[in-house]
Amino acid sequence: MARIYLDNNATTPVRQEVAEAVAGMLKGCYGNPSTLYCIGQEAHVSLEHARDVMAGVLGANRDEIIFTSGGTESDNIAVFGVARAMRKKGNHIITTKFEHHAVLNPCKALEKDGWSVTYLPVGPEGVVEPSDVERAITDKTVLISIMHANNEVGTVQPIAEIGKIAKARKITFHTDAVQSFAKLPIKVDEMGIDLLSASSHKIYGPKGVGLLYVRKGTKIMPIMYGGHQERSLRPGTENVPGIVGFGKATELMDAEREAEEARLVGMRDRLWEELSKKIPHIKLHGHPTKRLAGTLNIGFEFVEGESLILRLDEYGICVASGSACTSDALEPSHVLSALGIPPEGSHGALRFSLGRENTESDVDKLIEVLPKVVDDLRSFSPLYKEYLRNQKAAAG
Ligand code: PLP
């Protein structure tokens, strides 16, 4: 059975050109990039080429790019690294309630160490209000960390406006751009970003590689100690094949970004239009337009997200209920809760995230299968039966 993969916010298939670039490095370029002889220097040249690609895409300088093991590590270095460097100046951090756990959990750990953290609310459409950020600033605030695009509902935050506020108040501004890097235009200077996290496996690159952009002059300390690699902020011999793959994936994404965005928006919106015509009692979660091109999060009343996932899997269709990292936990999604969606709404939510391998025929298949699956599951739901009885009684 042909698989239809619609979970590209969880991870993406490695594209062919990237796999070839990684394999080329694994087979032919094993040198340690910190060594001086030619085998090491070959690896160094490849590493620095990838750094140049990243700097170019972000409008940054090459020495402001730090390679890491992925988005989680980049977020941890940003939060703990600034906290350690700025402790004498203040002990207050501003973030949001719907960040990824890679930001939320470091903040929670800091609270246990006496830090104070403001978790800003987001509006019902999943967008942070810049005036809320401004109001939350105190003379102890040393870091603002607000994600660019949300992984579950795809909403895109007004990063440039928040960056302006942070700059005016001389506060370090970090954005988790794991879901938006190379998908949305990002220029760190124009958006007032001091620190930015990105991850390779969300853009058809290998897993276990990421980057942290660190603006020159930002006060930040390492969270791990060792050699002098990556300006001593991330010591350890670099994962050169992975970084080369990440560089290749970024180059390719950047070249096709606009055309791909338009294609994904077309498929995403057609999917929503058709499903909302064919399935009653469903709701779009997040903002109707300020959203990642491929992300569609829908709440289905009277069904469980997990049952939908398993039934769709029988048809070869892979989708997610919440963020992949929490799909085995039974608590409602913290992102949907932050949008004011009650636990029962959260339990019936599905996230479809389309990517470059999806085609219109994948969308057709989902439009054909999903209404049947929902109908079938609802026929077993006592709540749905009760709803129908009440409707009938009300109609006389
Ligand atoms: N931040 C966001 C917004 C994410 O979506 C993810 C992964 O899902 C991460 C951070 C963690 O990235 P990684 O899997 O590279 O550690």
Side-chain angles (χ1 to χ4, degrees):
M1 179 175 29
R3 293 254 154 218
I4 298 179
Y5 182 72
L6 294 170
D7 200 11
N8 288 277
N9 285 12
T11 196
T12 52
V14 174
R15 60 195 285 174
Q16 185 61 25
E17 304 93 314
V18 171
E20 280 164 17
V22 175
M25 293 302 291
L26 286 170
K27 285 182 198 157
C29 191
Y30 58 86
N32 184 325
S34 300
T35 55
L36 288 178
Y37 42 80
C38 64
I39 294 173
Q41 285 305 298
E42 274 172 28
H44 177 76
V45 168
S46 300
L47 177 65
E48 294 311 310
H49 172 71
R51 206 184 303 279
D52 283 340
V53 169
M54 304 312 186
V57 166
L58 292 171
N61 295 316
R62 64 203 320 257
D63 60 356
E64 295 174 314
I65 304 295
I66 304 294
F67 287 113
T68 66
S69 68
T72 300
E73 187 183 2
S74 300
D75 285 343
N76 272 261
I77 299 175
V79 175
F80 287 121
V82 170
R84 292 191 74 177
M86 299 296 282
R87 185 67 183 91
K88 286 205 179 100
K89 184 165 182 287
N91 67 343
H92 179 231
I93 294 173
I94 298 171
T95 186
T96 75
K97 288 186 174 166
F98 82 158
E99 296 299 307
H100 192 272
H101 285 116
V103 166
L104 284 180
N105 286 343
C107 286
K108 284 184 188 149
L110 284 174
E111 282 184 290
K112 291 197 181 120
D113 270 345
W115 282 74
S116 143
V117 181
T118 301
Y119 299 93
L120 291 175
V122 294
E125 290 182 327
V127 181
V128 178
E129 212 30 81
S131 57
D132 286 346
V133 179
E134 177 115 55
R135 261 196 303 277
I137 296 173
T138 72
D139 57 358
K140 295 267 182 266
T141 310
V142 294
L143 177 68
I144 297 171
S145 177
I146 293 178
M147 71 197 320
H148 190 196
N150 182 270
N151 43 308
E152 290 191 41
V153 288
T155 48
V156 178
Q157 306 307 314
I159 289 302
E161 283 178 64
I162 298 168
K164 211 184 259 174
I165 294 168
K167 197 168 179 196
R169 305 291 292 265
K170 295 191 172 58
I171 299 166
T172 303
F173 177 39
H174 167 245
T175 189
D176 175 339
V178 166
Q179 292 291 346
S180 60
F181 177 74
K183 293 184 197 161
L184 295 175
I186 303 177
K187 292 294 172 207
V188 285
D189 285 348
E190 287 163 25
M191 297 168 98
I193 297 165
D194 298 313
L195 297 161
L196 175 144
S197 307
S199 177
S200 156
H201 74 102
K202 307 291 183 183
I203 58 162
Y204 315 96
K207 293 173 180 51
V209 193
L211 69 80
L212 181 66
Y213 157 77
V214 183
R215 179 179 294 283
K216 212 179 184 129
T218 303
K219 294 207 167 33
I220 185 162
M221 280 174 69
I223 60 171
M224 207 164 77
Y225 291 81
H228 294 298
Q229 296 92 344
E230 304 301 303
R231 289 172 43 215
S232 299
L233 196 52
R234 204 289 184 173
T237 305
E238 289 93 345
N239 169 8
V240 183
I243 292 168
V244 166
F246 186 18
K248 186 79 190 166
T250 304
E251 254 174 338
L252 294 167
M253 280 290 278
D254 196 48
E256 58 198 34
R257 187 169 50 75
E258 278 174 29
E260 182 60 1
E261 190 176 352
R263 193 183 74 90
L264 291 176
V265 166
M267 291 198 292
R268 178 197 75 185
D269 290 350
R270 183 166 78 86
L271 181 58
W272 168 244
E273 263 170 45
E274 291 299 318
L275 292 179
S276 58
K277 271 190 244 158
K278 290 184 185 335
I279 311 177
H281 313 295
I282 67 172
K283 190 174 156 223
L284 175 76
H285 292 151
H287 196 280
T289 54
K290 289 181 197 159
R291 207 151 35 101
L292 284 173
T295 307
L296 177 62
N297 191 309
I298 303 180
F300 295 82
E301 260 190 271
F302 309 114
V303 274
E304 291 289 319
E306 275 69 26
S307 316
L308 285 170
I309 289 173
L310 296 176
R311 291 294 280 273
L312 287 174
D313 194 35
E314 290 169 16
Y315 289 89
I317 301 172
C318 311
V319 300
S321 61
S323 94
C325 323
T326 55
S327 65
D328 52 1
L330 274 178
E331 300 107 58
S333 139
H334 72 285
V335 171
L336 298 181
S337 302
L339 267 64
I341 295 161
E344 59 278 17
S346 193
H347 286 312
L350 284 188
R351 177 188 69 186
F352 307 92
S353 47
L354 296 106
R356 62 182 297 279
E357 292 195 354
N358 294 122
T359 61
E360 294 287 350
S361 78
D362 296 345
V363 174
D364 291 338
K365 180 82 182 168
L366 193 60
I367 293 168
E368 179 203 322
V369 167
L370 192 53
K372 285 193 282 194
V373 167
V374 172
D375 226 26
D376 192 33
L377 288 172
R378 279 181 180 164
S379 70
F380 298 111
S381 159
L383 282 177
Y384 191 53
K385 283 183 188 155
E386 189 188 325
Y387 166 81
L388 290 179
R389 268 197 306 276
N390 290 342
Q391 288 295 100
K392 218 168 159 186

